[in-house]
Amino acid sequence: MSIKGKLIGLFLLMSLVLGLLAGYLLWASFRIRQQVDLFIPAISGLRGVADARINITRQMKEVTDYLVSASPEDRRAYGHFAAATRTAFDLWITSSRNQEELGVPGEAQDLERAVHIREYYEEWELLVAKLFSMTAAGRREAALRLFADRSDQLIEAGVLAGIDRALEDGLNEVQDAYNELLMSIGLIPWLAEDGLHRIRGTQASIEYLMAVNRVSAGVNKQIKSLLDYLLLGGEHDMQFFADYGKDTKSAIEACARAANRKAALDPANKAGLLNEVMTIERSYGQVLALAEKAINLKRSGRTHAALELVVTGLDPLLDAGLMPKIALALDDGGKEILTLSATASRQGVIAVILVSLFLAAGCFRLIQVMLTSLARLRTGIETIGKGDLDYRIKLGTSDEFGELATSINTMAGRLQESRADFERLNLELERRVEERTQQLETANQGLESFSYSVSHDLRAPLSRISALCQLFLEGEDPDLAPAVQDALRRIGLATQEMELLIASLLSLSQVASGEISRGRIDLSALVQTLAEELRQRDLSRQIEFHIAPGVSASGDRDLLLVALANLLGNAWKFTARRPVAVIAFGVIQRGGQRAFFVRDNGAGFDLKHAEKLFTPFHRLHKTE
């Protein structure tokens, strides 16, 4: 797989995994938060209903106590529980409204029922205020009769019965919200166990709450039946007392079971919970003992003593243990649920971070492998670049780096073969150069021998021939015919031309074999010297020399002198038939370089023969 494909694949995989994980966690966290938002109002509503039930039953007892004793303490206690009841109604109604806004089915009817029950309760409060006023005015008997006629109708049928139905509905709503929350928590595996534990603790608190409410309802009904019997003396009230007692005992047993379940989920508070249940059981036993004494006093005709016993003896028992403050347990459960929701989001973020770190580690490992391959490639290229063609790059990968290393190794092998071929060719070339050099040296030696022969063997005879011709011409032999004299002159001229040719050959040989010595040469001065020598050859000629001043060049002085002498000599020779000969020397710019020239107004030559200009012993035209 190519590196590009690996990087693209890794990037897409990382993006996909992170996107799916983040999306799933956000969705799961949103689901949990949504269910928590439903669960908390349901618990709050249930707590409001339960608190209303407990506090109303305590208000009912305090009303009876006040009607019996007309004690200001009982009236203040009634006010305290009345305030608690109003707070419970506010919590109940607010929770119902919140659930209605969240779209919980049936909450509109629940809210309407809560408002309706509170209206009945407020009507009952008005009745109680009237009863208190009558009692304070000394009309206790009338107040007791009005209380017996109206209070049960309002509070039992209009308020408590509706609250009991609301408790049952609220418990069902909490149970539904509980099940939905369990399913939502199951979406995040690492939260399932902890979340289930916390929710079960909250559920146990709810069960405990309901059991305590049943205990409260049963005890208050028994107390109401007991007070009715003590005030009115009806035997059916005693039957009610016994029947409500069965419900109370059953509720206490349920309370004990709920406490045991809650203790199992919360071992740290196990002792306190079990002690609370034992307190409820002990307090209820004391209530039954107190009721039995009051009933005996009533039957013995001591009704007032019986009422006094109930009024003064029940409050300490109820406050001491029969009505435990379990609202705090529900509050703690709600806080645990909110903590669970925050934990879901926080652990989701942690999970995303961990996955990101894992993928980042994978990327780091891949980059590390790539950098190692690059380092080996760089080392190999530098080593081979320095000339070590035996070095080979070893990567062991099948990606582009591996292919590149293979290509570089192949190239190094071919370069190694090429270098071997080059060394063989170089040796062959050196051998051939040596052979050619040796041949050239042999040829030069032959040329030198030839030059020597020309210089010594040919020039001596020519000198003798020229001297003899000159002797004959200078002699005073009158018999020498003119034709012979002309022939002798021609022979002398031919020998002179031959001597000039030999001198040229010797000069050419010396030029070709001499060593070059470079330096800065004043060409204008050289030309000026050569021009003066040419003037002295024939003082009768009219020659104008135009020499550019200050022209210099880098070269060998002797070779430049030979070249200029030949060029100026040709110009002097081929301007011989001009009345006024003009010979110029100068420099021009051509093709970005300096070009030196010798120009004259002589015979000139046809440009088609220009290639023969610097060829030795070639002529551009005939002598004449």
Side-chain angles (χ1 to χ4, degrees):
M1 185 177 182
S2 68
I3 293 175
K4 183 178 180 181
K6 289 178 182 178
L7 293 176
I8 293 176
L10 181 63
F11 176 76
L12 292 177
L13 178 62
M14 180 184 293
S15 300
L16 179 62
V17 171
L18 288 178
L20 290 177
L21 180 60
Y24 178 79
L25 291 175
L26 288 175
W27 174 75
S29 299
F30 173 77
R31 285 279 300 167
I32 292 174
R33 184 66 191 183
Q34 188 179 40
Q35 294 306 319
V36 167
D37 289 341
L38 294 175
F39 192 61
I40 295 301
I43 291 178
S44 297
L46 184 61
R47 173 188 164 181
V49 175
D51 285 350
R53 181 70 168 82
I54 291 174
N55 289 305
I56 289 173
T57 55
R58 289 301 303 272
Q59 281 183 271
M60 292 170 62
K61 178 186 176 302
E62 297 303 331
V63 169
T64 304
D65 290 348
Y66 182 75
L67 292 178
V68 171
S69 64
S71 170
E73 186 65 29
D74 294 328
R75 191 163 182 173
R76 283 193 296 271
Y78 170 84
H80 167 74
F81 291 114
T85 301
R86 285 191 289 272
T87 300
F89 270 116
D90 290 340
L91 178 61
W92 178 8
I93 293 173
T94 300
S95 299
S96 296
R97 284 175 178 164
N98 291 337
Q99 289 178 285
E100 183 182 14
E101 292 174 358
L102 292 171
V104 178
E107 281 306 310
Q109 293 82 356
D110 292 345
L111 178 60
E112 182 179 355
R113 179 172 58 189
V115 172
H116 187 63
I117 291 174
R118 185 169 64 178
E119 290 174 352
Y120 271 107
Y121 169 75
E122 291 171 349
E123 186 177 350
W124 179 75
E125 277 196 317
L126 293 175
L127 174 63
V128 170
K130 184 177 182 179
L131 293 174
F132 284 170
S133 297
M134 293 173 65
T135 303
R139 300 169 58 197
R140 180 183 300 176
E141 295 299 328
L144 286 172
R145 286 194 298 272
L146 180 61
F147 176 72
D149 293 339
R150 294 288 309 282
S151 179
D152 285 349
Q153 181 181 359
L154 283 174
I155 200 70
E156 293 289 347
V159 178
L160 295 181
I163 287 178
D164 289 340
R165 287 193 296 272
L167 276 173
E168 184 177 355
D169 292 344
L171 184 60
N172 291 333
E173 289 177 1
V174 168
Q175 189 65 40
D176 292 340
Y178 168 77
N179 293 331
E180 292 292 332
L181 184 56
L182 280 180
M183 294 177 63
S184 299
I185 290 175
L187 296 174
I188 303 180
W190 59 82
L191 283 181
E193 182 176 355
D194 183 53
L196 183 61
H197 179 79
R198 295 189 185 198
I199 293 177
R200 282 177 176 172
T202 303
Q203 180 69 9
S205 297
I206 294 171
E207 293 176 358
Y208 187 51
L209 168 68
M210 297 306 298
V212 169
N213 269 279
R214 285 182 56 196
V215 172
S216 173
V219 169
N220 278 284
K221 288 179 179 179
Q222 282 188 281
I223 293 173
K224 175 67 168 58
S225 300
L226 176 62
L227 290 173
D228 288 343
Y229 171 73
L230 295 177
L231 290 172
L232 304 176
E235 289 297 327
H236 61 281
D237 291 321
M238 290 304 302
Q239 185 61 44
F240 289 153
F241 180 84
D243 293 338
Y244 293 147
K246 296 178 182 178
D247 294 338
T248 302
K249 290 179 180 179
S250 175
I252 291 175
E253 292 173 358
C255 184
R257 290 193 296 270
N260 286 327
R261 282 195 294 272
K262 185 171 175 58
L265 294 170
D266 188 9
N269 296 320
K270 180 177 181 180
L273 287 168
L274 296 181
N275 183 63
E276 192 172 80
V277 172
M278 292 176 62
T279 300
I280 291 174
E281 292 176 346
R282 183 175 59 254
S283 297
Y284 180 66
Q286 293 173 352
V287 168
L288 292 180
L290 182 67
E292 184 177 359
K293 290 181 180 180
I295 292 170
N296 291 331
L297 288 173
K298 170 68 176 179
R299 288 176 177 172
S300 64
R302 301 171 60 188
T303 300
H304 184 72
L307 290 172
E308 286 292 336
L309 178 64
V310 171
V311 169
T312 58
L314 280 180
D315 281 348
L317 295 176
L318 295 177
D319 293 336
L322 266 180
M323 304 300 166
K325 305 295 182 181
I326 64 164
L328 295 176
L330 280 179
D331 289 341
D332 292 341
K335 291 178 181 177
E336 288 185 353
I337 297 298
L338 291 175
T339 302
L340 181 65
S341 175
T343 301
S345 301
R346 183 173 61 253
Q347 292 185 354
V349 172
I350 293 173
V352 171
I353 292 174
L354 291 176
V355 173
S356 301
L357 290 176
F358 175 76
L359 294 177
C363 289
F364 176 77
R365 176 58 183 165
L366 177 61
I367 292 172
Q368 188 179 35
V369 171
M370 291 171 62
L371 292 178
T372 301
S373 299
L374 284 174
R376 291 180 180 177
L377 281 173
R378 180 180 179 181
T379 302
I381 291 171
E382 290 178 350
T383 303
I384 294 172
K386 292 178 180 178
D388 186 3
L389 298 180
D390 294 327
Y391 186 85
R392 294 295 181 268
I393 302 172
K394 298 178 181 180
L395 290 184
T397 58
S398 59
D399 52 19
E400 282 89 342
F401 288 141
E403 294 175 358
L404 181 58
T406 302
S407 299
I408 293 174
N409 291 336
T410 303
M411 180 188 68
R414 291 177 179 175
L415 286 175
Q416 196 173 29
E417 295 174 358
S418 299
R419 184 167 68 176
D421 293 340
F422 175 76
E423 290 175 351
R424 288 194 297 270
L425 291 174
N426 191 37
L427 291 174
E428 180 67 20
L429 181 60
E430 289 179 355
R431 185 183 62 79
R432 291 182 180 182
V433 168
E434 289 177 357
E435 291 178 355
R436 295 296 186 271
T437 302
Q438 188 175 3
Q439 292 173 2
L440 182 59
E441 290 177 352
T442 302
N444 287 335
Q445 290 174 359
L447 180 60
E448 289 178 358
S449 298
F450 173 73
S451 299
Y452 181 82
S453 297
V454 170
S455 173
H456 295 82
D457 298 340
L458 294 180
R459 292 182 76 179
L462 287 175
S463 297
R464 289 194 294 270
I465 293 171
S466 177
L468 289 173
C469 290
Q470 189 67 25
L471 287 175
F472 279 115
L473 289 174
E474 292 178 356
E476 297 180 355
D477 187 356
D479 296 330
L480 194 61
V484 175
Q485 293 178 1
D486 181 62
L488 288 173
R489 283 192 296 270
R490 290 174 68 185
I491 290 172
L493 291 173
T495 55
Q496 290 178 1
E497 289 181 0
M498 189 67 177
E499 285 183 353
L500 289 174
L501 181 59
I502 291 172
S504 297
L505 285 172
L506 288 173
S507 177
L508 179 60
S509 174
Q510 292 172 355
V511 169
S513 61
E515 293 184 0
I516 297 176
S517 177
R518 300 181 66 89
R520 199 70 187 174
I521 310 302
D522 187 348
L523 297 182
S524 298
L526 284 180
V527 173
Q528 187 68 40
T529 301
L530 293 170
E532 291 299 326
E533 292 178 357
L534 289 174
R535 287 180 191 275
Q536 296 302 319
R537 289 186 184 184
D538 190 352
L539 296 175
S540 62
R541 288 186 59 179
Q542 296 292 321
I543 300 178
E544 295 180 4
F545 284 96
H546 299 163
I547 302 171
V551 177
S552 63
S554 177
D556 186 281
R557 188 180 188 283
D558 295 335
L559 294 179
L560 289 173
L561 180 60
V562 171
L564 288 172
N566 278 276
L567 291 172
L568 292 171
N570 284 338
W572 184 83
K573 181 170 60 176
F574 290 108
T575 57
R577 296 182 181 181
R578 296 291 182 184
V580 178
V582 178
I583 300 174
F585 169 77
V587 61
I588 60 174
Q589 290 290 330
R590 178 172 294 174
Q593 294 182 341
R594 294 193 304 164
F596 306 97
F597 65 87
V598 175
R599 182 186 298 144
D600 63 76
N601 62 343
F605 58 88
D606 191 343
L607 286 178
K608 69 181 180 180
H609 303 302
E611 71 276 1
K612 298 179 180 180
L613 183 61
F614 294 99
T615 303
F617 312 115
H618 280 264
R619 294 186 181 275
L620 299 177
H621 44 61
K622 296 180 180 180
T623 302
E624 61 271 16

